[in-house]
Amino acid sequence: MLKGIAKIITRKLKKYCLLLSVYLNSLFVRFRFHALKPKHFPMAPIDPHSFTDSTHPLATHISLSFFFDFPSSTIHASALLTLPAPYSGPLSLDIRALTVHSVIDPHKPSRPLSYVISHPDPIKGCHLTFTLSNAASVLILYSTSPSSSALQWLSPPQTFNKTLPFVYTQCQAIHARSVFPCQDTPSARVRYAAKLNVPRQLSAVMSARHVSRRDPIAGEGSALVSGDALWCSEDRVVEEFVMEQPIPPYLFAFAVGELGFREVGPRTRVYSEAVPAVLESAATEFASTEDMIRQGEALFGPYVWERFDLLVLPPSFPYGGMENPRMTFLTPTVLKGDASGAQVVAHELAHSWTGNLITNKTNEHFWLNEGFTTYAERRIVEAVQGEDRAALNIGIGWRGLHKEMERFKDSLEVTKLKTNQEGVDPDDVFSRVPYEKGFQFLWRIERQVGRPAFDEFLKKYIATFKFQSIDTETFLEFLKANLPGIEKEVDLVVWTEGTGIPPDAYEPVSNIYAKIVSMANEFKLGRMPGEDEVADWRGQEWELYLENLPKPIEPSQVVELNSRFRLAESKDYDVKVTFLLLAIASNCKDYLGEVEKTLKEVGRMKYLVPLYRALVEGNGNEEEKILAKQVFAAARETYHPIAQGGIETILNKHC
């Protein structure tokens, strides 16, 4: 009996020992897993478009080393992120289409940190996480991808000179993460330093102060995938830059190519590819830049960025301009030959105060950047070019705002100033609404309190929040505190949270504006303007006239309009594209060849998106849909990745 009991006890002990062994082994495995992977706490995101966690410290400085490999359309790079103080715990970064090679605590370089990269989110990209232990910095070695959404690599045939390659960035709204790992939200502001290793026959510019152009130094590239041997090749040169003021990541920018420049003012150079005709045209177009800077300072306070240089990019640049501090990027379509292209420069200059100095906290408050800047731009234009020119600008914007409201009649959230963009790609909802409705809101406040009081308010606003990122609520609280009683006179909730155009929005009043609108209305009676009436018209006058014509008109009227004024051949793309849109809307097929030519020679989304949309929207225009698909297939590689994505969205929806 005792033997039987002993056997039972032995069997149970073996069973319990086995269970204990399994349990201890599971603990060991779990311990190893958590040692290798950072802990995943519930995230507290601060931005619907970023993995940045509000419980983590924000980097204050980034040191970058870039080796540009043009044959592979790749940058081999390192990014050293510095935190405000030593930190222990998880850290979240945004990346997109980056190959991460290693994550290193610089004080323990022999023991790389473990890291986790999430599956790609279709909007935000990937979530890079790792755990730091009492570290104030972290070094990430990585390479970009040829499919980087911020980078466009141009082959020599795609450039002006046709001889050397070119590459440039466009990081707004959430594309900096495809160039370097970062907390890619405008809530985060960083200083940076950069070393760009490029072929010796090329040069570089950045949204930063240029420090030197020098030979590579041994050891600088040893940690990179490219290696020190390639870094120090005789055919390479290093361009160094520093940005000493904190900026949101979307304002990070560079361009590398065969560059030249012209001096146009004490604080301004105009850069482009080293093509004399382009450089001279740009220098002439932007000769008034210093006057605009001075007017901006008079209106909004000191210009703090030291220089305001301009870079005219190749035709593929997707925007009119990008307000990168110290180095505004511009499309060549602003070179109109009559100085009216300076209008775009006025807008990007105004961003030096509203957008760059004070930034929207997230893209849901984008109007704080663009509404303020549109207002500031028009004040600068009024001071430099006169009230009539500013009124034309406002009138074109007014028409554009009404068109956007019609476009988004089934997506009313987009017509608000303060929007909800959870799960929304900011590129997909980009529109004129934050620009023009934001302008109208500020113009309404100005009319209520008077210009002198509003000017004082603006200066105080900029001085109070400079180098900060704020949201709509912060602005409204400041507004009510500094213009007491304004909420009783202007419905702030309707303006910021309401859909559509508020009833107290305002169409401009000026003699020239009223005359042009009246002439457009007379078109309904069969009257076209006489040549003497339009002899002194520039692009803005024609754009306003065409925007106000009834749509559609008879195809024969489209042809007659062009035979008189050669609008389809205009060198001003604002005029040409507005005319081509009228032709498409009027089912006049005579100009489809000009539409195709235009879509193949420009990359600016202001022109591409409405033309493609006009070709494919509606029923019964199968010929135009076929044309749109054929042109996009032929021209796709000449467009920036941001433009490619926008057009693909349109074609997928309608074709």
Side-chain angles (χ1 to χ4, degrees), residues 183-406:
Q183 293 153 320
D184 194 6
T185 167
S187 298
R189 302 182 75 102
V190 294
R191 297 172 174 86
Y192 70 85
K195 299 174 184 175
L196 278 60
N197 186 301
V198 303
R200 191 172 291 274
Q201 68 267 44
L202 304 181
S203 56
V205 293
M206 285 199 84
S207 56
R209 178 170 61 84
H210 188 246
V211 176
S212 66
R213 178 181 171 94
R214 59 168 176 79
D215 289 333
I217 298 172
E220 285 181 318
S222 57
L224 303 185
V225 170
S226 51
D228 214 39
L230 288 176
W231 182 276
C232 293
S233 297
E234 289 186 2
D235 63 342
R236 309 291 295 191
V237 67
V238 171
E239 302 257 27
E240 278 196 84
F241 298 86
V242 295
M243 170 47 76
E244 293 149 331
Q245 293 137 319
I247 62 166
Y250 74 83
L251 290 177
F252 176 86
F254 63 72
V256 178
E258 186 184 16
L259 299 173
F261 67 86
R262 296 285 186 274
E263 302 280 356
V264 296
R267 290 179 272 190
T268 305
R269 286 177 173 175
V270 173
Y271 290 81
S272 78
E273 288 184 64
V275 178
V278 177
L279 285 167
E280 296 303 332
S281 177
T284 301
E285 194 80 25
F286 308 132
S288 65
T289 300
E290 180 62 24
D291 289 342
M292 291 194 292
I293 298 174
R294 290 173 182 162
Q295 289 296 338
E297 289 182 313
L299 289 165
F300 312 119
Y303 179 81
V304 304
W305 305 96
E306 188 178 346
R307 293 196 60 81
F308 182 68
D309 292 327
L310 308 169
L311 172 65
V312 178
L313 284 158
S316 63
F317 185 59
Y319 296 116
M322 181 61 210
E323 64 271 17
N324 307 308
R326 301 182 64 101
M327 180 63 67
T328 284
F329 284 11
L330 295 167
T331 168
T333 62
V334 299
L335 302 180
K336 301 182 180 183
D338 60 4
S340 62
Q343 183 96 26
V344 173
V345 172
H347 184 88
E348 308 313 330
L349 169 64
H351 268 302
S352 301
W353 292 273
T354 53
N356 297 5
L357 202 54
I358 304 176
T359 306
N360 51 234
K361 201 167 191 174
T362 73
N363 214 67
E364 295 179 315
H365 307 274
F366 190 50
W367 81 271
L368 288 171
N369 276 23
E370 296 300 351
F372 267 93
T373 298
T374 302
Y375 176 87
E377 164 209 333
R378 287 168 181 166
R379 291 293 303 279
I380 293 171
V381 168
E382 180 182 314
V384 176
Q385 299 183 2
E387 292 183 8
D388 279 344
R389 190 60 46 188
L392 289 176
N393 192 342
I394 296 169
I396 293 169
W398 178 254
R399 288 291 304 168
L401 180 59
H402 279 269
K403 288 171 67 177
E404 293 289 56
M405 293 302 167
E406 176 63 23

Side-chain angles (χ1 to χ4, degrees), residues 36-77:
L36 288 171
K37 294 190 176 184
K39 295 177 182 177
H40 292 281
F41 299 103
M43 283 193 66
I46 59 177
D47 186 329
H49 301 125
S50 172
F51 292 111
T52 301
D53 195 307
S54 63
T55 64
H56 301 173
L58 296 177
T60 56
H61 190 274
I62 302 178
S63 292
L64 296 159
S65 295
F66 289 165
F67 180 90
F68 289 79
D69 184 2
F70 278 89
S72 67
S73 298
T74 302
I75 300 172
H76 301 298

Side-chain angles (χ1 to χ4, degrees), residues 336 340 343 374 377-378 388-404 432 436 439-440 506-508 510 513 516-517 538-548 572 574-575 578 606:
K336 301 182 180 183
S340 62
Q343 183 96 26
T374 302
E377 164 209 333
R378 287 168 181 166
D388 279 344
R389 190 60 46 188
L392 289 176
N393 192 342
I394 296 169
I396 293 169
W398 178 254
R399 288 291 304 168
L401 180 59
H402 279 269
K403 288 171 67 177
E404 293 289 56
R432 300 300 300 174
E436 297 300 340
F439 163 79
Q440 284 284 342
Y506 195 66
E507 188 172 6
S510 83
Y513 177 80
I516 292 172
V517 172
R538 293 195 288 177
Q540 278 187 309
E541 286 87 344
W542 274 114
E543 187 181 358
L544 184 64
Y545 177 77
L546 293 169
E547 286 281 11
N548 280 278
D572 186 328
D574 286 330
V575 175
T578 306
K606 179 182 180 182

Side-chain angles (χ1 to χ4, degrees), residues 18 60 96 138 221 268 305 409 449 463 465 473 510 568 602:
L18 179 61
T60 56
R96 180 189 286 131
V138 60
T268 305
W305 305 96
K409 62 185 178 183
V449 302
F465 295 109
E473 288 72 23
S510 83
V602 302

